[in-house]
Amino acid sequence: MEFEFGGGYVLRRALREDHPAINLVCLRTGNSGRDATAREDDPDLLGLIYSVPYQVLEPDFAFVVEGPNGVCGYILGTPDSAAFYERAGREWFPPLAARLADPGPDESRWRGSDWARRAIHHPEFIYPEALHEWPAHGHIDLLQETRGKGIGRRGMRYLMTKLREAGAQGMHLHVSPKNLGAQAFYRTLGFSVVQHPSLPRDTVFMAAVL
Ligand SMILES: CC(C)(COP(=O)(O)OP(=O)(O)OC[C@H]1O[C@@H](n2cnc3c(N)ncnc32)[C@H](O)[C@@H]1OP(=O)(O)O)[C@@H](O)C(=O)NCCC(=O)NCCS
């Protein structure tokens, strides 16, 4: 165990056995912080894209929050985005793509989780030079019952310390433009918005010195 938050909530290293719970947390927070269950026809794909690969490829920086009802959140990251994306493209996505049909490029024909199947066949890693000052990146998602108790703040600070100790001097995050709550949360941790012509407009990029 890494530490206790109080109230029966602890932070511990994420394990392979946590993959189903990690997928579920990702699904239930995957619509700009809200529940994406109704949108998806495959409940695991969001987590297999955005969360589980961190436990597999960066286990030293992958943590779950466990509460009275089991796993209720995760905090994940990597100190080296370039190396992480290189490995994810080589080792993680190809075997996953091999067991899913590619729905093709025509978005008007996509249904349910087709967008995710397409993303798994054609993974996009956004790490242009404009972000290199902040080489670490990470993700945090907590189920509703876990929010507003200071767990996010303490968990993120813990991850940020681990990433700094691993040599990263800065960290960036991808946030949905609709997720104003998460943007406010990250600002309290010292993150601010990065704007650059090389960054896609449909995502808000935030960064902080570690
Ligand atoms: C965003 C999230 C990680 C915040 O974690 P949390 O444990 O609820 O936040 P904390 O209780 O630690 O709050 C820390 C600070 O952030 C602020 N904050 C947290 N959530 C906020 C929100 N929705 N709106 C405004 N401020 C918020 C708190 O007021 C607090 O401020 P303070 O330091 O001035 O007191 C959590 O609510 C969550 O997982 N949401 C759903 C998934 C999500 O959106 N993930 C981010 C995807 S990019």
Side-chain angles (χ1 to χ4, degrees), residues 33 140-142 147-153 179 181-182 184-186 188:
I140 176 167
D141 287 309
L142 306 176
R147 297 177 201 161
K149 303 178 197 294
I151 290 176
R153 175 180 39 228
N179 197 344
F185 166 72
Y186 293 133
T188 71

Side-chain angles (χ1 to χ4, degrees), residues 2-172:
E2 305 296 319
F3 64 82
E4 289 189 38
F5 293 108
Y9 292 88
V10 301
L11 189 76
R12 65 161 173 82
R13 285 274 290 268
L15 306 169
R16 280 193 171 267
E17 299 84 86
D18 295 316
H19 290 182
I22 290 172
N23 281 342
L24 193 62
V25 171
C26 195
L27 180 69
R28 289 180 56 198
T29 57
N31 183 11
S32 301
R34 295 164 196 265
D35 195 341
T37 304
R39 192 187 67 198
E40 302 298 322
D41 62 52
D42 185 329
D44 291 335
L45 297 186
L46 264 164
L48 291 174
I49 296 172
Y50 295 113
S51 309
V52 169
Y54 293 84
Q55 191 287 319
V56 175
L57 300 176
E58 291 287 23
D60 292 348
F61 307 97
F63 305 97
V64 289
V65 179
E66 190 151 16
N69 303 315
V71 170
C72 51
Y74 53 69
I75 304 168
L76 310 163
T78 175
D80 183 344
S81 295
F84 177 83
Y85 288 141
E86 198 273 323
R87 282 188 68 198
R90 196 160 34 86
E91 297 170 28
W92 179 253
F93 285 102
L96 206 52
R99 61 179 177 83
L100 297 166
D102 182 346
D106 182 356
E107 290 184 33
S108 70
R109 301 173 76 100
W110 293 352
R111 298 290 177 271
S113 304
D114 281 346
W115 71 271
R117 287 181 275 269
R118 182 70 184 167
I120 287 167
H121 277 270
H122 302 273
E124 243 195 306
F125 303 117
I126 305 163
Y127 188 53
E129 216 172 316
L131 293 176
H132 290 190
E133 209 178 318
W134 307 280
H137 79 265
H139 298 282
I140 176 167
D141 287 309
L142 306 176
L143 293 182
Q144 183 77 52
E145 74 203 49
T146 320
R147 297 177 201 161
K149 303 178 197 294
I151 290 176
R153 175 180 39 228
R154 282 178 285 164
M156 270 299 285
R157 285 211 180 122
Y158 187 81
L159 175 66
M160 290 164 77
T161 302
K162 290 273 173 205
L163 295 170
R164 188 182 63 230
E165 286 169 0
Q169 284 162 7
M171 176 180 194
H172 69 275

Side-chain angles (χ1 to χ4, degrees), residues 32 175-187 204:
S32 301
V175 195
S176 160
K178 288 189 209 154
N179 197 344
L180 301 179
Q183 291 171 40
F185 166 72
Y186 293 133
R187 272 194 295 275
V204 173

